[in-house]
Amino acid sequence: MGNEAIARGAIEAGVQVCAAYPGNPSSEIIGSLSQVARELGIYVEWSVNEKVALEVATAASFAGLRGLTAMKQNGLNVASDFLFNLNLSGSKGGLVVVVCDDPSALSSTNEEDSRLFAKMCDLPLLEPSTVQEAQKMTRWAFDLSEELGLPCLIRSVTRLSHARGNAELGPITKNQQNPRFDTSRPIIPQPVMETHKALHNKMKTCQDRFEQSPFNVYRGPEKPELLVVTCGPGWMYVREALLNLGAENRTGILKLATTWPLPASFLMEHLKKADRILFVEEVDPFLENNVKELCAQRAGELGVKTFLGKASSHLPNVGEINPDIVTRAIQQILDEPYEPRSLQYAREAAEAVSLLAPSRELGFCAGCPHRATYWSVKNALAMDGRDGIVLGDIGCYTLGVRPAGFSQVKTCHAMGSGVGLANGFGHLERFGLNQPVLTVCGDSTFYHAAIPALVNARYNQSNFLMLILDNSATAMTGFQPHAGTGRTAMGADASVVDIEALCKALGARVQVKNPFDVQDTTETIYKLLQDREGIKVLILKQECALVRVKRQKALYKVRVDQERCVGQECGCNRRCTRIFKCPGLAWDPVTGKAQIDEAICTGCGTCADICPQSAILKETV
Amino acid sequence: MENKGLQALESCVIQKDLCTFCGACLSLCPYLHSWKGKWLKLDDCDLAEGRCFAYCPRTRVNLETLHQEVFGQSYSNIEMGLFKQVKMVRASSPTLRQKAQTAGVVSALMKFALKEGFINGAVLTQRTPDHLPIGRVIRRPNEILSCAGSSYVAGPTLQALNQGPWKDSERIGVVGTPCQVLAMRKMSLSPLKRTTPIDRVTLIIGLFCTWALTYEPFMKFLKNRVKGARIRKLDITPPPERLLKVITENDRIWDVPLDEIRPFIRTTCGVCHDMTSELSDLSVGTVEGIQGWSTVIIRTDLGEKILSQAEAARIVKSQPLPEEKFKHLSEASLLKKQRALLRLKERGELENGYLTLSRELIGRILSEANEAGS
């Protein structure tokens, strides 16, 4: 896997300190490193957030060791405040920041091209195209960082991080570097004008190195009709597209791996080859605009070129690209006839797919406490009747915006933004807002970004109800341990940071309830919504169903009394399978009754409490 | 196919602000609830047909069919429905007369019906200490008085009927407002499969009603009006005074002119055609101008039998209703019908609204009411 290759590259480079906050598609980098940390004598941690993770890895660099941090695109936003000072102060030991973008937002709330950060803060940027390159370029990034005295950014994307491929491994370096911080030479961004100038000089050196980089290659005829400039997985897509079209002899591919600063001379040499230049990259026209800028600067030498890509609408400027998209673009430009498959076949294939894989709404797992929580939120808000606003946050419970969470959640932005927005909404009553304010936040998100917002709420006397959905897991990214789980990334015991005590210390009124008791939870939420003063925190504590089933037996054996179940009739109309929709409940269209899918049911027993006919029976195991 | 389930109930009744909050649709399905005087929908239901829609007194009402089914007669008496006799009645017990609101007649009759085994359980309306009306099942005669009085607020009494729980052989008596009585008759006649105890409802005492209030805004207003004092009792005095007397702790009485509480009258009361619970066995209400007596309209054989037995047992006393009071009652009832029809017309619901009346009947009501009014 691409992420494992990045981890391997770091190990081969002798990395000693690795820190990250989990976030798809980056999580497996630190996940893999944590598994071999003890054996290799390296330190790996799951940090509370990406900024802290970058700071932890940077501390190693300041002490002369090699450090690595990895994050998803949003993570770089969190870490950027530190990064925009670190570029000026510079680093010492090799420091690599891997950022894995998620084009098409397959597991994100946003789409973002984090490469722009490299240009903004003047840092070297590498973009591997293959699994092998991911490993080799990571290893090289440490050397480069050390030579330049700057952190080096590596940008991956989902289709590289999560792709599998071959890689020839290099030897493992066991670094026995002794850390030492030279207190006679403070590492600070000041004097800024000096350090900023020094940074630009470092980037000139970097550019020289990039001119020579073996990762930048040209493949194709000496005088192609079309030159495709690409980077990252675009390289693979372009090769496949040319193969599809049989256009290898007419088209050249210039693959860049070092995309900031641009290797200008290398580029100039190849840009001369063709009059038409197509840029293939995901998501923003980063390479496209930077190369155009270079061409404008050097127009005298280059002459008039036709630039094709996102600006010319040959390629999309949102979402992932793939071989089909690239093939269509090149086909259009070269005017090559191409039919990927017959329309008849396409129609039949689509029909077959719809039969074999029916479209399903995104949902919570069987026995997920979030479903029970949103059930109670829905009913409590209906009882309250003031059209309460639920402000969401980042985690599995983001699905609260969809029918899985009864469409209760109305906003969802960055980590901790639910409680941040709640701070603001909590002050709008003075202007006539009469909707109660409720925010949901997971345990991992709470540690990550919710605490400052709670401090603010206390200080500025805001008024809202915060539900902390404590499922004792960073579930969405793969169950990484966090400050509340009592375990570290390296498997050691850890102190638990007590959310309840912390909230109490912040001056919130705190209650702890079991979300599976839907009646009690509903009433508690309702009562707390009536309380118009200050910050109320309700911790809904119930372990993630996927963690629980691995550790212990089901709480209940659940079955449906077929006599009592009235199914679709007036008086029920499939409340359990139509509204509550736990995957552990199945609808049998033949008998017209509900059933328990024993293979899936985790035995939480919540459905027994929502059946209007008391037909779902739970027996203690 | 036209929806006749919750979707239709929402579009035809709830969204048009026509819910009477009678409780007929509650405790039948998991999606509908009552909470602090409000009707709540927790989830959507897509059934093509549902009891919520079928039983609602503000979905299609065909008075002709209903009268044929209940009385075996055509809907002809447009003033106050079919009846056998109208009397002036009061409870013999001074305690009942003092504590209850209709000269103690309803309490006395229900108590008698329970004691004598006409019914085994009574569905009545009780008020919480916050004056929120709730349905209550009473099985012991001496508990009847706990439901005496009124807060003039609509409450989901029929929810208690639907909820029970009832034993198989129990016969049930219900005291309700005109919309609740209408809903019960719709329940009885509905062809939908029923799991309600409606077939065991043997006695229906209907109350006279001109309007009911919406709980939350009314109570909010009242609390402000009495400066937060704890409210013990509410009483509306008859004309010409027409005041809401609010009795708070330490027996302080606050006089609130009725015009101040009119904004809290439910919209649906404006389209209600029925002042005297025309589909009941016995209808009971005040006699304007005569304190301490109630008007009782005897409509069915059962009603007649219970009243005469109660009188024979000296539980209640009766005397003929003076002619001018009868005339006054007829006029008031007809005027309510006229107002309802005019309001329906205003709302564009005279043809396709809840009430199905022949053009001839509509014409008669409007013209006769005009004569009565003039």
Side-chain angles (χ1 to χ4, degrees), chain A residues 375 378-379 382-385 526 568-575 578-579 610 612, chain B residues 28-31 35-36 38 40-47 49-52 193:
Chain A
W375 186 264
K378 165 177 77 76
N379 292 351
M383 282 153 63
D384 178 81
Y526 174 79
Q568 230 160 342
E569 282 180 20
C570 179
C572 181
N573 190 17
R574 297 178 51 192
R575 189 189 204 194
R578 192 177 61 88
I579 306 284
I610 64 118
Chain B
L28 292 177
C29 93
Y31 308 118
W35 181 260
K36 302 216 166 177
K38 277 181 304 194
L40 287 190
K41 185 194 79 167
L42 295 184
D43 299 289
D44 290 323
C45 173
D46 55 2
L47 284 185
E49 273 193 301
R51 292 171 297 175
C52 57
K193 180 179 171 183

mmCIF file of all heavy atoms in Angstrom, chain A residues 375 378-379 382-385 526 568-575 578-579 610 612, chain B residues 28-31 35-36 38 40-47 49-52 193:
data_model
loop_
_atom_site.group_PDB
_atom_site.id
_atom_site.type_symbol
_atom_site.label_atom_id
_atom_site.label_comp_id
_atom_site.label_asym_id
_atom_site.label_seq_id
_atom_site.Cartn_x
_atom_site.Cartn_y
_atom_site.Cartn_z
ATOM 1 N N TRP A 375 -31.658 9.224 17.562
ATOM 2 C CA TRP A 375 -33.079 8.909 17.802
ATOM 3 C C TRP A 375 -33.599 9.788 18.944
ATOM 4 O O TRP A 375 -34.651 10.410 18.857
ATOM 5 C CB TRP A 375 -33.209 7.427 18.159
ATOM 6 C CG TRP A 375 -34.606 6.943 18.299
ATOM 7 C CD1 TRP A 375 -35.332 6.824 19.447
ATOM 8 C CD2 TRP A 375 -35.475 6.510 17.241
ATOM 9 N NE1 TRP A 375 -36.582 6.347 19.177
ATOM 10 C CE2 TRP A 375 -36.705 6.148 17.829
ATOM 11 C CE3 TRP A 375 -35.333 6.396 15.854
ATOM 12 C CZ2 TRP A 375 -37.782 5.681 17.081
ATOM 13 C CZ3 TRP A 375 -36.400 5.926 15.123
ATOM 14 C CH2 TRP A 375 -37.595 5.576 15.735
ATOM 15 N N LYS A 378 -33.679 13.490 17.938
ATOM 16 C CA LYS A 378 -34.847 13.746 17.069
ATOM 17 C C LYS A 378 -36.109 13.912 17.916
ATOM 18 O O LYS A 378 -36.859 14.875 17.741
ATOM 19 C CB LYS A 378 -35.005 12.562 16.102
ATOM 20 C CG LYS A 378 -36.338 12.477 15.389
ATOM 21 C CD LYS A 378 -36.362 11.305 14.409
ATOM 22 C CE LYS A 378 -36.551 9.948 15.044
ATOM 23 N NZ LYS A 378 -37.915 9.644 15.487
ATOM 24 N N ASN A 379 -36.314 12.976 18.823
ATOM 25 C CA ASN A 379 -37.555 13.016 19.606
ATOM 26 C C ASN A 379 -37.558 14.178 20.608
ATOM 27 O O ASN A 379 -38.585 14.821 20.806
ATOM 28 C CB ASN A 379 -37.774 11.680 20.312
ATOM 29 C CG ASN A 379 -38.080 10.573 19.307
ATOM 30 O OD1 ASN A 379 -38.290 10.842 18.132
ATOM 31 N ND2 ASN A 379 -38.089 9.341 19.759
ATOM 32 N N ALA A 382 -38.333 17.304 18.751
ATOM 33 C CA ALA A 382 -39.755 17.361 18.380
ATOM 34 C C ALA A 382 -40.583 17.754 19.602
ATOM 35 O O ALA A 382 -41.499 18.576 19.507
ATOM 36 C CB ALA A 382 -40.208 16.011 17.836
ATOM 37 N N MET A 383 -40.243 17.208 20.750
ATOM 38 C CA MET A 383 -40.966 17.562 21.974
ATOM 39 C C MET A 383 -40.773 19.032 22.310
ATOM 40 O O MET A 383 -41.701 19.730 22.717
ATOM 41 C CB MET A 383 -40.445 16.704 23.142
ATOM 42 C CG MET A 383 -40.987 15.286 23.144
ATOM 43 S SD MET A 383 -39.873 14.112 23.964
ATOM 44 C CE MET A 383 -39.842 14.710 25.623
ATOM 45 N N ASP A 384 -39.566 19.485 22.125
ATOM 46 C CA ASP A 384 -39.258 20.881 22.434
ATOM 47 C C ASP A 384 -40.021 21.839 21.509
ATOM 48 O O ASP A 384 -40.516 22.884 21.952
ATOM 49 C CB ASP A 384 -37.750 21.114 22.299
ATOM 50 C CG ASP A 384 -37.369 22.549 22.548
ATOM 51 O OD1 ASP A 384 -37.264 22.922 23.718
ATOM 52 O OD2 ASP A 384 -37.221 23.311 21.569
ATOM 53 N N GLY A 385 -40.079 21.457 20.235
ATOM 54 C CA GLY A 385 -40.935 22.195 19.298
ATOM 55 C C GLY A 385 -40.442 23.569 18.878
ATOM 56 O O GLY A 385 -41.176 24.318 18.254
ATOM 57 N N TYR A 526 -34.225 16.741 26.460
ATOM 58 C CA TYR A 526 -35.351 17.689 26.497
ATOM 59 C C TYR A 526 -35.202 18.653 27.680
ATOM 60 O O TYR A 526 -35.313 19.871 27.517
ATOM 61 C CB TYR A 526 -36.687 16.934 26.585
ATOM 62 C CG TYR A 526 -37.855 17.876 26.773
ATOM 63 C CD1 TYR A 526 -38.377 18.580 25.691
ATOM 64 C CD2 TYR A 526 -38.386 18.129 28.043
ATOM 65 C CE1 TYR A 526 -39.404 19.480 25.852
ATOM 66 C CE2 TYR A 526 -39.411 19.031 28.215
ATOM 67 C CZ TYR A 526 -39.925 19.711 27.114
ATOM 68 O OH TYR A 526 -40.933 20.609 27.292
ATOM 69 N N GLN A 568 -46.212 -3.983 8.375
ATOM 70 C CA GLN A 568 -46.515 -2.780 7.609
ATOM 71 C C GLN A 568 -47.866 -2.169 7.971
ATOM 72 O O GLN A 568 -48.230 -1.126 7.437
ATOM 73 C CB GLN A 568 -46.545 -3.152 6.131
ATOM 74 C CG GLN A 568 -45.717 -2.248 5.298
ATOM 75 C CD GLN A 568 -45.363 -2.873 3.971
ATOM 76 O OE1 GLN A 568 -45.448 -4.091 3.793
ATOM 77 N NE2 GLN A 568 -44.943 -2.056 3.048
ATOM 78 N N GLU A 569 -48.580 -2.813 8.880
ATOM 79 C CA GLU A 569 -49.928 -2.324 9.167
ATOM 80 C C GLU A 569 -49.918 -0.983 9.887
ATOM 81 O O GLU A 569 -48.925 -0.609 10.520
ATOM 82 C CB GLU A 569 -50.676 -3.343 10.047
ATOM 83 C CG GLU A 569 -51.188 -4.529 9.263
ATOM 84 C CD GLU A 569 -51.919 -5.498 10.159
ATOM 85 O OE1 GLU A 569 -52.357 -5.116 11.271
ATOM 86 O OE2 GLU A 569 -52.035 -6.668 9.749
ATOM 87 N N CYS A 570 -51.056 -0.312 9.810
ATOM 88 C CA CYS A 570 -51.248 0.931 10.563
ATOM 89 C C CYS A 570 -51.056 0.593 12.045
ATOM 90 O O CYS A 570 -51.637 -0.366 12.544
ATOM 91 C CB CYS A 570 -52.661 1.457 10.306
ATOM 92 S SG CYS A 570 -53.053 2.955 11.197
ATOM 93 N N GLY A 571 -50.237 1.374 12.694
ATOM 94 C CA GLY A 571 -49.905 1.065 14.082
ATOM 95 C C GLY A 571 -48.418 0.778 14.220
ATOM 96 O O GLY A 571 -47.867 0.758 15.309
ATOM 97 N N CYS A 572 -47.761 0.563 13.066
ATOM 98 C CA CYS A 572 -46.312 0.386 13.097
ATOM 99 C C CYS A 572 -45.686 0.866 11.786
ATOM 100 O O CYS A 572 -44.879 1.760 11.769
ATOM 101 C CB CYS A 572 -45.926 -1.066 13.344
ATOM 102 S SG CYS A 572 -44.140 -1.272 13.411
ATOM 103 N N ASN A 573 -46.121 0.248 10.672
ATOM 104 C CA ASN A 573 -45.533 0.573 9.366
ATOM 105 C C ASN A 573 -44.009 0.492 9.419
ATOM 106 O O ASN A 573 -43.307 1.426 9.071
ATOM 107 C CB ASN A 573 -46.001 1.950 8.873
ATOM 108 C CG ASN A 573 -45.605 2.189 7.416
ATOM 109 O OD1 ASN A 573 -45.270 1.249 6.703
ATOM 110 N ND2 ASN A 573 -45.628 3.447 6.984
ATOM 111 N N ARG A 574 -43.541 -0.640 9.899
ATOM 112 C CA ARG A 574 -42.098 -0.966 9.871
ATOM 113 C C ARG A 574 -41.236 0.105 10.536
ATOM 114 O O ARG A 574 -40.261 0.573 9.949
ATOM 115 C CB ARG A 574 -41.639 -1.153 8.422
ATOM 116 C CG ARG A 574 -42.310 -2.309 7.713
ATOM 117 C CD ARG A 574 -41.847 -2.398 6.270
ATOM 118 N NE ARG A 574 -40.391 -2.389 6.205
ATOM 119 C CZ ARG A 574 -39.712 -2.229 5.086
ATOM 120 N NH1 ARG A 574 -40.343 -2.080 3.948
ATOM 121 N NH2 ARG A 574 -38.400 -2.215 5.100
ATOM 122 N N ARG A 575 -41.598 0.478 11.721
ATOM 123 C CA ARG A 575 -40.785 1.494 12.391
ATOM 124 C C ARG A 575 -39.326 1.051 12.525
ATOM 125 O O ARG A 575 -38.410 1.847 12.337
ATOM 126 C CB ARG A 575 -41.354 1.770 13.783
ATOM 127 C CG ARG A 575 -40.702 2.955 14.447
ATOM 128 C CD ARG A 575 -41.111 3.078 15.888
ATOM 129 N NE ARG A 575 -40.968 4.458 16.345
ATOM 130 C CZ ARG A 575 -41.000 4.814 17.612
ATOM 131 N NH1 ARG A 575 -41.203 3.922 18.547
ATOM 132 N NH2 ARG A 575 -40.856 6.071 17.959
ATOM 133 N N ARG A 578 -37.863 0.668 8.728
ATOM 134 C CA ARG A 578 -38.071 1.804 7.834
ATOM 135 C C ARG A 578 -37.473 3.090 8.407
ATOM 136 O O ARG A 578 -36.922 3.898 7.682
ATOM 137 C CB ARG A 578 -39.578 1.992 7.591
ATOM 138 C CG ARG A 578 -39.944 2.949 6.472
ATOM 139 C CD ARG A 578 -41.465 2.992 6.280
ATOM 140 N NE ARG A 578 -42.140 3.464 7.478
ATOM 141 C CZ ARG A 578 -42.386 4.740 7.745
ATOM 142 N NH1 ARG A 578 -42.040 5.670 6.890
ATOM 143 N NH2 ARG A 578 -42.986 5.093 8.871
ATOM 144 N N ILE A 579 -37.589 3.268 9.726
ATOM 145 C CA ILE A 579 -37.107 4.522 10.330
ATOM 146 C C ILE A 579 -35.812 4.286 11.116
ATOM 147 O O ILE A 579 -34.801 4.921 10.865
ATOM 148 C CB ILE A 579 -38.174 5.130 11.268
ATOM 149 C CG1 ILE A 579 -39.505 5.304 10.547
ATOM 150 C CG2 ILE A 579 -37.679 6.441 11.871
ATOM 151 C CD1 ILE A 579 -39.578 6.461 9.590
ATOM 152 N N ILE A 610 -37.934 0.593 20.894
ATOM 153 C CA ILE A 610 -38.616 1.454 19.915
ATOM 154 C C ILE A 610 -39.782 0.741 19.226
ATOM 155 O O ILE A 610 -40.534 1.357 18.494
ATOM 156 C CB ILE A 610 -37.628 2.029 18.871
ATOM 157 C CG1 ILE A 610 -37.008 0.921 18.025
ATOM 158 C CG2 ILE A 610 -36.517 2.833 19.514
ATOM 159 C CD1 ILE A 610 -37.344 1.059 16.599
ATOM 160 N N PRO A 612 -43.299 -0.416 18.704
ATOM 161 C CA PRO A 612 -44.553 0.014 19.325
ATOM 162 C C PRO A 612 -45.432 -1.149 19.785
ATOM 163 O O PRO A 612 -46.336 -0.958 20.588
ATOM 164 C CB PRO A 612 -45.247 0.802 18.205
ATOM 165 C CG PRO A 612 -44.662 0.300 16.944
ATOM 166 C CD PRO A 612 -43.257 -0.117 17.265
ATOM 167 N N LEU B 28 -52.080 5.258 18.849
ATOM 168 C CA LEU B 28 -52.412 4.230 17.865
ATOM 169 C C LEU B 28 -51.161 3.813 17.111
ATOM 170 O O LEU B 28 -51.052 2.704 16.633
ATOM 171 C CB LEU B 28 -53.419 4.770 16.837
ATOM 172 C CG LEU B 28 -54.818 5.082 17.336
ATOM 173 C CD1 LEU B 28 -55.645 5.676 16.202
ATOM 174 C CD2 LEU B 28 -55.490 3.822 17.862
ATOM 175 N N CYS B 29 -50.244 4.754 16.965
ATOM 176 C CA CYS B 29 -49.050 4.488 16.175
ATOM 177 C C CYS B 29 -47.870 5.169 16.837
ATOM 178 O O CYS B 29 -48.043 6.047 17.676
ATOM 179 C CB CYS B 29 -49.240 4.976 14.737
ATOM 180 S SG CYS B 29 -48.648 6.632 14.440
ATOM 181 N N PRO B 30 -46.647 4.723 16.490
ATOM 182 C CA PRO B 30 -45.480 5.275 17.186
ATOM 183 C C PRO B 30 -45.068 6.660 16.720
ATOM 184 O O PRO B 30 -44.189 7.260 17.319
ATOM 185 C CB PRO B 30 -44.386 4.255 16.869
ATOM 186 C CG PRO B 30 -44.796 3.632 15.582
ATOM 187 C CD PRO B 30 -46.299 3.629 15.567
ATOM 188 N N TYR B 31 -45.682 7.154 15.664
ATOM 189 C CA TYR B 31 -45.172 8.394 15.073
ATOM 190 C C TYR B 31 -45.822 9.652 15.625
ATOM 191 O O TYR B 31 -45.316 10.746 15.434
ATOM 192 C CB TYR B 31 -45.317 8.338 13.553
ATOM 193 C CG TYR B 31 -44.718 7.080 12.988
ATOM 194 C CD1 TYR B 31 -45.484 6.142 12.312
ATOM 195 C CD2 TYR B 31 -43.370 6.792 13.200
ATOM 196 C CE1 TYR B 31 -44.931 4.956 11.844
ATOM 197 C CE2 TYR B 31 -42.812 5.626 12.740
ATOM 198 C CZ TYR B 31 -43.593 4.706 12.065
ATOM 199 O OH TYR B 31 -43.032 3.542 11.610
ATOM 200 N N TRP B 35 -47.440 16.229 23.576
ATOM 201 C CA TRP B 35 -46.430 16.678 24.531
ATOM 202 C C TRP B 35 -46.747 18.112 24.934
ATOM 203 O O TRP B 35 -46.737 18.998 24.098
ATOM 204 C CB TRP B 35 -45.028 16.576 23.913
ATOM 205 C CG TRP B 35 -43.956 17.005 24.853
ATOM 206 C CD1 TRP B 35 -43.319 18.202 24.870
ATOM 207 C CD2 TRP B 35 -43.420 16.248 25.939
ATOM 208 N NE1 TRP B 35 -42.424 18.236 25.892
ATOM 209 C CE2 TRP B 35 -42.454 17.063 26.573
ATOM 210 C CE3 TRP B 35 -43.658 14.973 26.462
ATOM 211 C CZ2 TRP B 35 -41.727 16.631 27.683
ATOM 212 C CZ3 TRP B 35 -42.935 14.548 27.557
ATOM 213 C CH2 TRP B 35 -41.983 15.372 28.153
ATOM 214 N N LYS B 36 -47.078 18.277 26.214
ATOM 215 C CA LYS B 36 -47.364 19.610 26.747
ATOM 216 C C LYS B 36 -48.369 20.374 25.888
ATOM 217 O O LYS B 36 -48.120 21.521 25.478
ATOM 218 C CB LYS B 36 -46.071 20.414 26.890
ATOM 219 C CG LYS B 36 -45.085 19.719 27.779
ATOM 220 C CD LYS B 36 -44.297 20.670 28.600
ATOM 221 C CE LYS B 36 -43.581 19.900 29.697
ATOM 222 N NZ LYS B 36 -42.740 20.728 30.506
ATOM 223 N N LYS B 38 -49.284 19.821 22.843
ATOM 224 C CA LYS B 38 -49.022 19.932 21.399
ATOM 225 C C LYS B 38 -49.124 18.561 20.744
ATOM 226 O O LYS B 38 -48.775 17.544 21.338
ATOM 227 C CB LYS B 38 -47.596 20.456 21.165
ATOM 228 C CG LYS B 38 -47.481 21.948 21.257
ATOM 229 C CD LYS B 38 -46.046 22.388 20.988
ATOM 230 C CE LYS B 38 -45.056 21.714 21.926
ATOM 231 N NZ LYS B 38 -43.748 22.279 21.976
ATOM 232 N N LEU B 40 -47.567 16.113 18.145
ATOM 233 C CA LEU B 40 -46.218 15.965 17.610
ATOM 234 C C LEU B 40 -46.147 14.834 16.615
ATOM 235 O O LEU B 40 -46.674 13.759 16.866
ATOM 236 C CB LEU B 40 -45.240 15.561 18.726
ATOM 237 C CG LEU B 40 -44.792 16.531 19.766
ATOM 238 C CD1 LEU B 40 -43.671 15.890 20.549
ATOM 239 C CD2 LEU B 40 -44.308 17.788 19.101
ATOM 240 N N LYS B 41 -45.466 15.094 15.516
ATOM 241 C CA LYS B 41 -45.152 13.995 14.609
ATOM 242 C C LYS B 41 -43.660 13.720 14.731
ATOM 243 O O LYS B 41 -42.856 14.616 14.508
ATOM 244 C CB LYS B 41 -45.484 14.382 13.173
ATOM 245 C CG LYS B 41 -45.290 13.234 12.212
ATOM 246 C CD LYS B 41 -45.286 13.684 10.768
ATOM 247 C CE LYS B 41 -43.950 14.285 10.389
ATOM 248 N NZ LYS B 41 -43.774 14.475 8.948
ATOM 249 N N LEU B 42 -43.304 12.494 15.101
ATOM 250 C CA LEU B 42 -41.883 12.192 15.286
ATOM 251 C C LEU B 42 -41.221 11.714 13.989
ATOM 252 O O LEU B 42 -40.039 11.943 13.780
ATOM 253 C CB LEU B 42 -41.697 11.142 16.375
ATOM 254 C CG LEU B 42 -42.116 11.565 17.785
ATOM 255 C CD1 LEU B 42 -41.802 10.475 18.782
ATOM 256 C CD2 LEU B 42 -41.426 12.857 18.212
ATOM 257 N N ASP B 43 -41.971 11.002 13.166
ATOM 258 C CA ASP B 43 -41.395 10.487 11.927
ATOM 259 C C ASP B 43 -42.468 10.498 10.845
ATOM 260 O O ASP B 43 -43.646 10.602 11.150
ATOM 261 C CB ASP B 43 -40.917 9.030 12.110
ATOM 262 C CG ASP B 43 -39.854 8.914 13.167
ATOM 263 O OD1 ASP B 43 -38.739 9.369 12.930
ATOM 264 O OD2 ASP B 43 -40.148 8.386 14.255
ATOM 265 N N ASP B 44 -42.022 10.337 9.608
ATOM 266 C CA ASP B 44 -42.986 10.263 8.501
ATOM 267 C C ASP B 44 -43.578 8.857 8.422
ATOM 268 O O ASP B 44 -42.938 7.884 8.796
ATOM 269 C CB ASP B 44 -42.275 10.572 7.174
ATOM 270 C CG ASP B 44 -41.884 12.036 7.090
ATOM 271 O OD1 ASP B 44 -42.661 12.865 7.576
ATOM 272 O OD2 ASP B 44 -40.791 12.325 6.562
ATOM 273 N N CYS B 45 -44.783 8.794 7.911
ATOM 274 C CA CYS B 45 -45.395 7.489 7.648
ATOM 275 C C CYS B 45 -46.001 7.582 6.253
ATOM 276 O O CYS B 45 -46.681 8.547 5.929
ATOM 277 C CB CYS B 45 -46.465 7.191 8.683
ATOM 278 S SG CYS B 45 -47.391 5.694 8.305
ATOM 279 N N ASP B 46 -45.723 6.561 5.425
ATOM 280 C CA ASP B 46 -46.154 6.655 4.038
ATOM 281 C C ASP B 46 -47.325 5.733 3.714
ATOM 282 O O ASP B 46 -47.601 5.460 2.551
ATOM 283 C CB ASP B 46 -44.968 6.355 3.107
ATOM 284 C CG ASP B 46 -44.331 5.014 3.428
ATOM 285 O OD1 ASP B 46 -44.836 4.320 4.346
ATOM 286 O OD2 ASP B 46 -43.341 4.651 2.770
ATOM 287 N N LEU B 47 -48.000 5.241 4.740
ATOM 288 C CA LEU B 47 -49.126 4.337 4.460
ATOM 289 C C LEU B 47 -50.218 5.074 3.675
ATOM 290 O O LEU B 47 -50.486 6.243 3.918
ATOM 291 C CB LEU B 47 -49.713 3.798 5.756
ATOM 292 C CG LEU B 47 -48.931 2.698 6.469
ATOM 293 C CD1 LEU B 47 -49.716 2.198 7.674
ATOM 294 C CD2 LEU B 47 -48.617 1.536 5.529
ATOM 295 N N GLU B 49 -53.363 4.411 3.751
ATOM 296 C CA GLU B 49 -54.541 4.603 4.596
ATOM 297 C C GLU B 49 -54.134 4.442 6.044
ATOM 298 O O GLU B 49 -53.358 3.541 6.380
ATOM 299 C CB GLU B 49 -55.580 3.528 4.289
ATOM 300 C CG GLU B 49 -56.511 3.882 3.161
ATOM 301 C CD GLU B 49 -57.696 2.934 3.129
ATOM 302 O OE1 GLU B 49 -57.472 1.722 3.000
ATOM 303 O OE2 GLU B 49 -58.832 3.418 3.257
ATOM 304 N N GLY B 50 -54.659 5.278 6.890
ATOM 305 C CA GLY B 50 -54.306 5.149 8.297
ATOM 306 C C GLY B 50 -55.450 5.576 9.187
ATOM 307 O O GLY B 50 -56.318 6.364 8.780
ATOM 308 N N ARG B 51 -55.424 5.061 10.389
ATOM 309 C CA ARG B 51 -56.495 5.388 11.331
ATOM 310 C C ARG B 51 -56.436 6.852 11.749
ATOM 311 O O ARG B 51 -57.447 7.462 12.058
ATOM 312 C CB ARG B 51 -56.405 4.449 12.538
ATOM 313 C CG ARG B 51 -56.744 2.999 12.165
ATOM 314 C CD ARG B 51 -56.460 2.050 13.284
ATOM 315 N NE ARG B 51 -55.034 2.040 13.611
ATOM 316 C CZ ARG B 51 -54.520 1.372 14.616
ATOM 317 N NH1 ARG B 51 -55.301 0.659 15.418
ATOM 318 N NH2 ARG B 51 -53.227 1.393 14.850
ATOM 319 N N CYS B 52 -55.213 7.399 11.751
ATOM 320 C CA CYS B 52 -55.079 8.805 12.147
ATOM 321 C C CYS B 52 -55.954 9.690 11.270
ATOM 322 O O CYS B 52 -56.626 10.605 11.748
ATOM 323 C CB CYS B 52 -53.616 9.242 12.084
ATOM 324 S SG CYS B 52 -52.842 9.008 10.473
ATOM 325 N N LYS B 193 -59.199 -1.880 9.948
ATOM 326 C CA LYS B 193 -58.993 -2.843 11.030
ATOM 327 C C LYS B 193 -58.690 -2.068 12.303
ATOM 328 O O LYS B 193 -57.832 -1.195 12.318
ATOM 329 C CB LYS B 193 -57.804 -3.736 10.677
ATOM 330 C CG LYS B 193 -57.493 -4.778 11.731
ATOM 331 C CD LYS B 193 -56.317 -5.620 11.286
ATOM 332 C CE LYS B 193 -55.841 -6.515 12.405
ATOM 333 N NZ LYS B 193 -54.660 -7.293 12.025
#
